[in-house]
Amino acid sequence: MIYRKIIMPVCISISFFIAACFITPSVMAERIMAVQVKQSQIRATPSYLGKILARMSYGEKVSIISERAGWYKVKKMTVPAVVGWMNASSLANPRVVLKAGDKTVQGKTTTEEVALAGKGFNASIEKDYEKSNSNLDYTWVEKMEKISPTPEEVTAFLVEGNLSLGEGEYHE
Amino acid sequence: MNKNKFVNRTWATIIFCLMFIFSLLSCETVQPIADVATQVGVASGKIGAEDAEKIRSTISTLSYTFEDFTPEQEYYLGRAVGANILAKYKPLMDQRLTDYVNLIGAACSVASLRPETFGGYHFLVLDSEEINAFAAPGGLIFLTRGLLKCCRTEDELAAVIAHEIAHVQYKHGLQAIRQDRITKAIGSIAQEALQNQETVTPEIKELFDGSIRDITFTLITNGYSQQFEFQADQGALVILGKTGYHPGALIKMLQTMKQRLKPGATDFFKTHPSPDSRIAEIGKTFFGTAQYPADPLRQKRFQVHTVNLN
């Protein structure tokens, strides 16, 4: 009697309570990602043809709302809190995109986050590498990086050539 | 219920409940809790020098892979590889052709599995008769004049470009770095961060130099494995198909390349599998033909932009 009325219900209730304490935060937790490329955009639709709603820089964080065919529906975490779409290749777990010297780095709670905060192979090592290899010239590397057709030019090029923006799944 | 039965049933219930809790708190849940607990100690300075040393040695013994390089690190490796390529080859001074190649590249990169890299995709034509191309990590892509001359149509030029983009999307360049160097590099970077060092340590410097040597040696001298080249061809077929270019153009370009490659040359002849073996491998997944109707508008602009190649 005591077992059925007290012990069993109490044990089951406690176990559900303990499980809920651990599981609920992980299920309910907001999924945060950060921009892992120098520049990207939040767009109105999940396509590179989508209207640009906001321009995003390296390290800026977004909250993930949903996912569709290589695109994330995101909400910008700073004002204005724009909601739109970003390509999955532009986003990563925030721990891999912290900026060196970023104030947020200090006080970070995981060694992994601290470890990857812009350390190692970065601008200062490049400077050093260039200095010790006098035969190298980064001039054309810099020039190359400036060659970037605008989205409008790419769209016009595709239309003129009877081509399409190759997004989504490919079926032969 | 007698006393023994009562005790047994109570214990059975408690054990069942504990099993239920632990089954829900699987490794995925428990491990981060343990990790965070340890890491909070480190970050808050509550872990002493001895423990920090233990953590450092743990970091250095972990096995890292090329996937552990951040996009930013990949970018700086790619720039250095690019500077090395440009120390050996001179750019072709043909702005119109360069812009055209970059438009095709932009169109193809959107269709790749990795449309965005840290610094983006950028393309340069090299003034060399060699039949060669190099894809530096992160998206700096170099194509020689000799390789462009193997292309008779825009679709074939797109095939060459798509193959190089596929090397970037699969991070083949980073995979050219020796495994022991990757482990040491990522481990050392983690240690450097843990010690909060601001200056470049000689060890990291040497690891950066070594990584660049590994990648440039593979790109320029040794070539990727046959498996990577076949994989890049498969990636190119998908990119071409998604963009609207004819995938058969890749086969056609390889047929032309076969006629132009000179035995003993240090270009694609040395660094790539033979065009015949690549065509045979492509045939396993692509059942179309190398014959395709050239789009008149694409053909017109191809001729306009490549007029100075010959």
Side-chain angles (χ1 to χ4, degrees):
Chain A
M1 201 65 169
I2 296 175
Y3 171 79
R4 283 213 178 151
K5 284 200 169 170
I6 301 172
I7 306 286
M8 196 167 76
V10 166
C11 284
I12 290 171
S13 304
I14 290 173
S15 64
F16 269 103
F17 176 75
I18 294 171
C21 285
F22 282 100
I23 303 296
T24 309
S26 66
V27 172
M28 301 293 287
E30 199 180 14
R31 189 177 172 202
I32 306 294
M33 293 188 92
V35 179
Q36 64 166 346
V37 297
K38 266 191 205 170
Q39 297 290 332
S40 193
Q41 308 83 28
I42 297 182
R43 293 176 182 272
T45 53
S47 161
Y48 282 106
L49 292 178
K51 188 186 168 196
I52 296 172
L53 302 177
R55 294 190 186 277
M56 302 291 284
S57 298
Y58 180 70
E60 279 192 80
K61 290 180 182 174
V62 292
S63 156
I64 305 297
I65 299 167
S66 61
E67 191 179 353
R68 189 206 296 176
W71 289 79
Y72 286 115
K73 189 172 190 184
V74 303
K75 185 179 175 189
K76 196 163 163 267
M77 295 188 73
T78 49
V79 180
V82 175
V83 172
W85 296 84
M86 291 188 81
N87 190 275
S89 62
S90 68
L91 296 169
N93 186 315
R95 72 185 178 207
V96 304
V97 288
L98 292 166
K99 291 180 195 174
D102 188 335
K103 277 181 189 165
T104 58
V105 172
Q106 286 144 30
K108 276 286 160 195
T109 54
T110 73
T111 42
E112 212 171 354
E113 284 181 32
V114 175
L116 293 164
K119 295 281 182 181
F121 298 170
N122 52 23
S124 20
I125 203 158
E126 178 180 286
K127 215 172 174 182
D128 195 83
Y129 182 73
E130 191 178 8
K131 214 169 150 187
S132 41
N133 291 277
S134 55
N135 62 321
L136 297 184
D137 187 356
Y138 275 74
T139 312
W140 265 99
V141 172
E142 303 292 349
K143 281 186 185 174
M144 235 181 131
E145 287 194 356
K146 290 196 176 82
I147 308 169
S148 260
T150 64
E152 292 74 23
E153 285 170 338
V154 178
T155 307
F157 182 80
L158 290 169
V159 170
E160 184 197 62
N162 195 24
L163 299 165
S164 56
L165 198 66
E167 297 175 315
E169 297 296 316
Y170 169 62
H171 303 285
E172 253 183 60
Chain B
M1 195 184 291
N2 64 39
K3 195 183 170 188
N4 277 348
K5 204 173 173 187
F6 172 77
V7 170
N8 287 345
R9 286 186 73 174
T10 303
W11 273 113
T13 307
I14 291 170
I15 289 166
F16 170 80
C17 290
L18 284 173
M19 282 170 67
F20 170 73
I21 292 167
F22 281 109
S23 69
L24 287 176
L25 301 180
S26 59
C27 291
E28 277 181 24
T29 315
V30 173
Q31 190 58 44
I33 293 166
D35 285 350
V36 169
T38 312
Q39 289 156 353
V40 164
V42 176
S44 61
K46 284 175 184 165
I47 289 180
E50 197 182 321
D51 292 330
E53 188 50 45
K54 277 182 196 163
I55 291 164
R56 276 193 282 276
S57 62
T58 305
I59 288 169
S60 63
T61 54
L62 286 173
S63 180
Y64 295 99
T65 72
F66 67 95
E67 294 280 9
D68 293 309
F69 282 115
T70 66
E72 189 183 15
Q73 290 162 355
E74 181 189 17
Y75 167 77
Y76 283 106
L77 284 166
R79 278 171 58 92
V81 170
N84 276 278
I85 290 166
L86 286 161
K88 188 172 157 63
Y89 299 90
K90 296 291 157 222
L92 182 71
M93 297 302 167
D94 186 339
Q95 193 59 49
R96 199 165 54 161
L97 177 63
T98 307
D99 290 343
Y100 178 58
V101 166
N102 274 275
L103 278 165
I104 299 173
C108 289
S109 64
V110 170
S112 75
L113 293 173
R114 205 180 166 204
E116 294 180 46
T117 62
F118 185 85
Y121 291 88
H122 307 280
F123 304 82
L124 195 65
V125 182
L126 302 173
D127 192 4
S128 165
E129 272 300 305
E130 273 184 27
I131 296 176
N132 230 334
F134 312 101
L140 295 182
I141 292 174
F142 304 86
L143 312 153
T144 62
R145 186 160 45 85
L147 178 60
L148 264 56
K149 282 161 78 173
C150 294
C151 306
R152 301 169 313 115
T153 63
E154 183 176 305
D155 291 44
E156 291 171 27
L157 178 52
V160 166
I161 291 170
H163 174 95
E164 297 307 317
I165 289 172
H167 278 310
V168 176
Q169 89 177 5
Y170 293 125
K171 299 186 179 177
H172 287 162
L174 292 182
Q175 293 182 66
I177 304 172
R178 272 175 25 198
Q179 181 52 49
D180 63 323
R181 214 187 306 272
I182 293 175
T183 296
K184 270 189 206 162
I186 309 276
S188 300
I189 290 166
Q191 285 189 31
E192 179 195 313
L194 201 65
Q195 290 158 354
N196 206 20
Q197 287 172 346
E198 291 303 323
T199 51
V200 177
T201 63
E203 191 186 7
I204 300 264
K205 205 174 131 183
E206 172 47 35
L207 288 164
F208 186 75
D209 286 9
S211 301
I212 302 304
R213 276 199 305 274
D214 289 346
I215 301 170
T216 47
F217 180 75
T218 297
L219 291 187
I220 297 175
T221 313
N222 215 25
Y224 287 125
S225 67
Q226 191 163 274
Q227 180 204 342
F228 280 6
E229 293 301 342
F230 291 160
Q231 192 183 24
D233 280 339
Q234 293 301 326
L237 290 176
V238 175
I239 291 171
L240 292 171
K242 284 170 75 176
T243 315
Y245 285 117
H246 199 291
L250 179 57
I251 300 176
K252 192 71 197 168
M253 186 279 299
L254 287 168
Q255 288 171 347
T256 312
M257 185 194 283
K258 184 188 166 187
Q259 291 163 4
R260 290 179 176 245
L261 278 174
K262 291 179 187 146
T266 54
D267 53 11
F268 266 31
F269 182 83
K270 188 183 173 203
T271 59
H272 280 61
S274 72
D276 277 344
S277 63
R278 288 175 65 184
I279 292 169
E281 193 66 23
I282 289 166
K284 289 180 183 172
T285 55
F286 175 68
F287 305 110
T289 162
Q291 304 305 324
Y292 59 94
D295 181 275
L297 281 169
R298 294 209 289 269
Q299 194 54 17
K300 192 179 168 192
R301 69 185 182 192
F302 175 80
Q303 282 164 352
V304 167
H305 290 96
T306 57
V307 71
N308 294 328
L309 268 185
N310 294 305

